[in-house]
Amino acid sequence: MKKTLLASALALVVCGMMSAAEITHPMEYTLDLADGGTTEFKFVDNSQYGTKGRSTRQDNNPPDWSSLVKPNKPKAGDTVHVTGKLTFDMDIDHLYVNLVDNSPAANYWTRVTEQKDEKDELSIDNIKAGVPVDVDITFTIKTDVKSKLIFNMAYGEQNGGLTNCKVERVTKSFVGDPEILAALGRPKGQQTYKIDLGDVSKLITFERGNDAFQAIFSFTKECGEWLPQKGDKVIITYKGTSNIDINEPILITLVENTAAVGWWKDLISDSEDKFQEFTKADTVKAGKKFKTKVEFTLKESCKEGISVQMYYKDYDGASPAMLKFAK
């Protein structure tokens, strides 16, 4: 498996291209709500999952600092000082707040801050409609942030309906020494990702669709610290065997199927030419080794993940294949 891009960036620091020391933990972060990606937060009904009187109303587009902390994500033992000014359009008795990692890597919902029990949850109390509320809360991180970091807000149904909330800046966010973070950041210019599907999965299983056999699987982890962005090149290679003959070309493209993009986004093109030939017709024979290589240039940037989509047509007598990695 290839080295991660972050490892390469760290190597530059070690080689003396920077004079500043490397960032160490534990450390203190300052995150202002105005840096969370939006100026207005909307709340939705969370009755299905929330706790009555506490969290049946939850923010739908919470402040999200994921891109801000990506070069230096908070770890257990760190403290995060959250600042900002919020103005709601209705009264709220208790607004419960916490820091959450809602990425696939964290099972879509992991609270990363300290909490003894539900009653110990931090809250902003006695909020009045139209009156700005200063946020000045310090959290202690109990679980390393794996990918995303959001500021989760919720209140109970006893307050009435759903509300919107406007945010104003109080201070400048701080996630570490800017000079060091620049070295830890994603390298500039086009990057090339070389992905051997044998490192992703030992067995690729196709499933029957409407008129084709299809396989979809993620190779997000193999991309290292920085996901491919628009303009980057992705080279896919594979060496293996099939359990059956495949008499149609196997076609392949790249997609993202995460919650961040509504579970589906084409990364190459919206037209049919997004697919390339992974294998030619009649070249895959049962038990016989084959190898292949395709190259893509991304037309869209990844947000949380990247996957391979493969398919071949459902012709007469065809069956779903299993491709097994071969050394």
Side-chain angles (χ1 to χ4, degrees):
M1 191 180 299
K2 68 179 186 61
K3 294 181 179 179
T4 66
L5 297 177
L6 179 61
S8 299
L10 287 171
L12 295 178
V13 179
V14 174
C15 289
M17 294 189 68
M18 294 198 59
S19 57
E22 192 174 322
I23 290 176
T24 59
H25 293 262
M27 67 168 287
E28 297 180 1
Y29 294 73
T30 297
L31 298 176
D32 195 274
L33 295 170
D35 292 323
T38 184
T39 58
E40 184 173 347
F41 313 123
K42 302 179 184 298
F43 285 73
V44 296
D45 191 333
N46 188 45
S47 300
Q48 182 178 1
Y49 302 104
T51 301
K52 184 176 177 61
R54 297 179 64 85
S55 56
T56 55
R57 309 288 188 258
Q58 185 167 302
D59 51 354
N60 188 41
N61 58 326
D64 186 341
W65 298 296
S66 304
S67 59
L68 183 65
V69 303
K70 187 167 186 176
N72 183 34
K73 294 186 282 289
K75 300 179 182 296
D78 291 342
T79 56
V80 175
H81 181 205
V82 176
T83 60
K85 184 174 291 188
L86 302 176
T87 304
F88 292 84
D89 58 11
M90 62 179 283
D91 293 353
I92 299 176
D93 56 359
H94 305 292
L95 180 75
Y96 295 96
V97 297
N98 55 73
L99 302 184
V100 170
D101 185 340
N102 64 340
S103 68
N107 295 320
Y108 296 98
W109 190 264
T110 297
R111 182 185 174 118
V112 299
T113 50
E114 282 189 344
Q115 179 187 21
K116 296 178 183 177
D117 50 45
E118 187 180 79
K119 294 181 180 180
D120 186 49
E121 192 168 18
L122 286 171
S123 65
I124 303 171
D125 303 327
N126 301 318
I127 295 172
K128 301 298 180 182
V131 178
V133 176
D134 288 321
V135 178
D136 186 359
I137 303 173
T138 298
F139 295 94
T140 299
I141 302 297
K142 68 168 185 178
T143 302
D144 291 358
V145 174
K146 293 185 177 180
S147 182
K148 297 192 67 177
L149 182 63
I150 66 169
F151 184 70
N152 184 61
M153 298 179 283
Y155 60 89
E157 69 285 344
Q158 69 276 7
N159 292 277
L162 305 176
T163 186
N164 292 346
C165 171
K166 294 183 179 180
V167 63
E168 300 175 62
R169 179 181 301 282
V170 169
T171 190
K172 184 178 180 181
S173 294
F174 175 81
V175 297
D177 186 289
E179 190 175 351
I180 298 176
L181 291 178
L184 296 176
R186 186 181 190 273
K188 295 181 179 180
Q190 183 193 59
Q191 305 300 312
T192 298
Y193 294 77
K194 297 181 179 180
I195 306 298
D196 185 335
L197 295 186
D199 292 331
V200 179
S201 177
K202 300 303 180 186
L203 187 67
I204 299 171
T205 304
F206 285 78
E207 297 181 353
R208 187 186 299 272
N210 292 332
D211 58 357
F213 298 98
Q214 181 173 261
I216 300 174
F217 48 94
S218 171
F219 60 93
T220 302
K221 292 182 179 179
E222 281 66 31
C223 292
E225 181 72 7
W226 303 100
L227 286 172
Q229 300 297 298
K230 182 178 179 180
D232 285 349
K233 181 182 293 186
V234 178
I235 301 174
I236 303 289
T237 59
Y238 186 75
K239 181 169 63 176
T241 59
S242 170
N243 65 323
I244 60 172
D245 294 353
I246 302 177
N247 299 326
E248 283 282 325
I250 299 178
L251 304 180
I252 183 173
T253 190
L254 304 180
V255 301
E256 178 170 356
N257 57 337
T258 69
V261 296
W263 300 110
W264 194 265
K265 182 179 182 180
D266 291 308
L267 298 176
I268 305 303
S269 170
D270 288 331
S271 61
E272 284 301 316
D273 63 4
K274 64 189 176 185
F275 286 97
Q276 292 192 41
E277 279 197 352
F278 189 61
T279 64
K280 296 184 180 297
D282 296 319
T283 59
V284 178
K285 301 297 182 182
K288 183 178 180 180
K289 291 183 181 180
F290 70 92
K291 61 181 180 180
T292 184
K293 174 182 177 181
V294 293
E295 295 186 10
F296 295 99
T297 298
L298 266 60
K299 298 295 194 298
E300 300 286 345
S301 295
C302 302
K303 290 189 175 181
E304 286 188 0
I306 184 169
S307 297
V308 164
Q309 179 189 11
M310 303 169 66
Y311 85 94
Y312 61 94
K313 291 183 179 179
D314 187 359
Y315 54 90
D316 288 343
S319 300
M322 289 187 295
L323 306 183
K324 185 177 181 181
F325 175 68
K327 301 202 176 192

